[in-house]
Amino acid sequence: MDFISFLDQRKTLTDTGDLNGLNALEEKVTKIVADFLNGTFVAEMQTVPLFYSFFKTFAETNNLELKNLCDQALIKIQPLLDEFDREHNLTHLDELNTGTIEYNLNQLSAFDRLNPFEKESANQLKFQTFNDLLRLTDQIEIKGADENAHENFIETLVKASKLQTFISLSLSPEKITQDLYLTTLRSNMENNLVLMLTADRIDSGMPINDKKVARLRIEYQKLLNALNKGQK
């Protein structure tokens, strides 16, 4: 379910005052929330924060049926939030307010369109902090018959990292900035690159806790050191 698209549509329809469009959107969301409550639609652990943000945002409505369903959904998802909290060392979920969530979701919808590897006229990256990542990914050779294999590899890396960034920053207790988004995205891309290249040694299914992040940072630095050594 593309919750990000629904949240983006809500922002646009609300800003333009399109009540008919908003009512139509809320009808669709009402069915989604009802499906979640009756078990037809199930939340996955890694996307629980996105579910939480979705229900929390759409609970702010004049549609009493949708508000009631979202309130029920927030209660139902609480045990999963508690588990997510334990796995990721989060302690502020109950302190989030709808205004901050909605502001951050709007920002994230805009930032999601950024291309970390976008180049300017001089063939230099627009976002210079991604230079090392670009150098590393350029050296990766994907064997096989698919001539688009390398391009698909990069697309998968960016998409997965953007989703992680969206989920984590949607729960920020503070209003986010583009710099924070790009910093978080770069970190997720670096970690995911390591996971994709070391799948035989590091379990990608484990929670990304402080211990695992430290190990990923060491592995990433090894990759970078090897690249720098090879280019001397």
Side-chain angles (χ1 to χ4, degrees):
M1 182 64 62
D2 189 359
F3 282 167
I4 298 174
S5 175
F6 279 98
L7 292 165
D8 201 19
Q9 289 179 60
R10 182 181 188 272
K11 162 66 174 170
T12 300
L13 294 170
T14 301
D15 286 349
T16 59
D18 185 350
L19 295 181
N20 290 332
L22 184 60
N23 289 337
L25 177 67
E26 289 189 340
E27 284 185 15
K28 294 179 183 178
V29 172
T30 297
K31 184 179 185 309
I32 292 171
V33 181
D35 285 345
F36 171 77
L37 288 172
N38 65 33
T40 303
F41 185 42
V42 180
E44 297 180 356
M45 178 54 63
Q46 64 267 29
T47 56
V48 163
L50 190 53
F51 275 74
Y52 176 84
S53 298
F54 182 79
F55 298 144
K56 187 84 169 176
T57 299
F58 276 99
E60 296 296 317
T61 175
N62 293 324
N63 182 327
L64 296 182
E65 179 186 7
L66 177 56
K67 176 176 174 54
N68 181 53
L69 290 174
C70 285
D71 287 342
Q72 292 180 56
L74 288 168
I75 294 172
K76 180 177 179 179
I77 206 171
Q78 189 62 51
L80 289 176
L81 275 172
D82 293 339
E83 185 177 348
F84 187 93
D85 187 355
R86 288 191 295 272
E87 288 189 357
H88 297 80
N89 299 318
L90 293 172
T91 59
H92 66 278
L93 292 180
D94 292 336
E95 301 171 6
L96 295 177
N97 66 74
T98 302
T100 300
I101 289 176
E102 188 155 10
Y103 175 87
N104 285 339
L105 290 174
N106 292 336
Q107 291 290 87
L108 288 167
S109 293
F111 297 156
D112 188 61
R113 303 183 184 97
L114 297 176
N115 175 8
F117 293 145
E118 179 181 348
K119 292 185 178 180
E120 298 184 307
S121 56
N123 206 34
Q124 299 294 315
L125 283 186
K126 179 177 181 179
F127 307 112
Q128 292 288 307
T129 55
F130 289 85
N131 275 332
D132 286 339
L133 262 169
L134 180 62
R135 292 169 57 220
L136 280 169
T137 54
D138 279 348
Q139 297 301 311
I140 295 173
E141 294 184 10
I142 310 296
K143 296 182 179 179
D146 184 1
E147 61 181 18
N148 297 318
H150 186 270
E151 180 180 337
N152 293 337
F153 175 85
I154 301 301
E155 183 178 355
T156 299
L157 173 65
V158 173
K159 281 188 174 180
S161 302
K162 280 189 171 184
L163 179 58
Q164 290 173 328
T165 301
F166 193 105
I167 290 172
S168 63
L169 292 184
S170 69
L171 295 176
S172 172
E174 306 294 336
K175 292 184 176 180
I176 64 171
T177 63
Q178 180 173 296
D179 284 345
L180 176 60
Y181 176 84
L182 290 173
T183 298
T184 307
L185 176 61
R186 186 188 68 198
S187 179
N188 284 331
M189 287 178 66
E190 291 170 353
N191 291 340
N192 285 327
L193 178 63
V194 173
L195 289 171
M196 293 168 82
L197 297 178
T198 61
D200 59 328
R201 293 186 288 116
I202 301 179
D203 181 7
S204 61
M206 294 171 57
I208 304 292
N209 51 33
D210 291 343
K211 183 177 180 180
K212 185 172 182 180
V213 168
R215 182 177 179 188
L216 291 172
R217 303 316 301 163
I218 292 172
E219 294 292 337
Y220 179 79
Q221 192 58 50
K222 286 180 180 178
L223 289 173
L224 195 56
N225 290 343
L227 176 63
N228 291 335
K229 184 177 179 180
Q231 292 184 345
K232 286 183 177 179

